[in-house]
Amino acid sequence: MIRHNDKPMNFNADTPILLMERLCKSYLLGAVELKVLREVALAINSGEYVAIMGPSGSGKSTLLNMIGCLDRPTSGDYWLGGQNVALLDDDELSLIRGSRIGFIFQSFNLINQLNVVENIEVPMYYQGYSEHQSAQRARELATMVGLGERLGHRPSELSGGQQQRVAIARALVNDPLIILADEPTGNLDSESGTEILKILMDLHRQGKTLIVVTHDEHIAESAGRIVEIFDGQIRHR
């Protein structure tokens, strides 16, 4: 039984790594309340690969913000790794984002002035890594995603697929509980998209928990489960 307070629930291998209960999100537009998420219930286990799909205006982006701790629900609970993050303030949510969630964005979000290693290092600056530790880990991750020969290249010297590989490596630096990918192949050609999909599948086989928001049926079909959202409510295929 989950209690509605700020104390962590007992977290073990049998507990969902992500659990939303009766989660709602509303926005006030003047005197009008716009209900975007309605009583969302979602459980994702450690090591799962889940695709989230839904049409524009369905609440998909808002759900993504909730999962990524970029916003707080109006009501309901969101347990991540046994902690009710729905109750945390902005500073606490920032710590959760930095330590428990790896983000992969459609637009890559790399820093143009930094090379591959430096871009991967960025999250580690906020986590207490030494300069030597962060550089070593960044090189290891860059090599893992196939960029071992591109360590000194800046984003402008990389293809779109290579830039997304940098973003994937960056998402892995803190060994996050979940990896959250927002349309990870949306800006890529079909060949590069296929390569990125293979990397995601490899991460899944390594036991990583993947949550991919996508319009691409091909990506969704590679997932172990598809969750659809319509009018702010969850449906499972």
Side-chain angles (χ1 to χ4, degrees), residues 6 37 77 100 137 141 149:
D6 58 354
L37 297 180
D77 292 297
R100 294 192 163 195
R137 179 148 176 78
L141 289 169
E149 303 299 318

Side-chain angles (χ1 to χ4, degrees), residues 138-185:
R139 287 193 294 268
E140 290 171 353
L141 289 169
T143 300
M144 187 192 78
V145 297
L147 293 175
E149 303 299 318
R150 302 276 185 168
L151 301 181
H153 288 64
R154 290 189 170 92
S156 61
E157 301 170 306
L158 303 173
S159 68
Q162 289 169 336
Q163 290 184 61
Q164 193 60 293
R165 289 170 186 257
V166 178
I168 291 172
R170 182 184 58 195
L172 295 171
V173 293
N174 292 320
D175 193 21
L177 285 177
I178 61 172
I179 298 170
L180 182 57
D182 181 16
E183 299 285 0
T185 63

Side-chain angles (χ1 to χ4, degrees), residues 11-12 27 30 34 69-70 96 103 108 114-115 118 152 170 184 190 225:
F11 182 64
N12 55 52
Y27 297 96
L34 177 63
C69 294
L70 296 166
I96 293 293
F103 291 94
F108 320 134
L114 304 182
N115 63 30
E118 292 165 341
R170 182 184 58 195
S190 58
R225 177 159 59 107

Side-chain angles (χ1 to χ4, degrees), residues 55-140:
S56 297
S58 63
K60 189 168 74 272
S61 295
T62 302
L63 180 61
L64 174 71
N65 288 342
M66 295 295 117
I67 293 173
C69 294
L70 296 166
D71 199 358
R72 286 187 296 272
T74 304
S75 62
D77 292 297
Y78 172 23
W79 300 83
L80 180 62
Q83 183 176 13
N84 193 351
V85 297
L87 303 174
L88 302 183
D89 62 27
D90 289 344
D91 290 338
E92 292 167 325
L93 286 177
S94 179
L95 291 174
I96 293 293
R97 290 194 299 271
S99 62
R100 294 192 163 195
I101 304 170
F103 291 94
I104 303 170
F105 300 98
Q106 177 179 350
S107 56
F108 320 134
N109 286 10
L110 303 180
I111 300 173
N112 291 327
Q113 293 78 14
L114 304 182
N115 63 30
V116 167
V117 170
E118 292 165 341
N119 265 287
I120 297 171
E121 285 183 291
V122 167
M124 290 184 274
Y125 292 142
Y126 306 99
Q127 300 296 325
Y129 284 79
S130 70
E131 184 175 341
H132 173 74
Q133 287 174 321
S134 62
Q136 181 178 3
R137 179 148 176 78
R139 287 193 294 268
E140 290 171 353

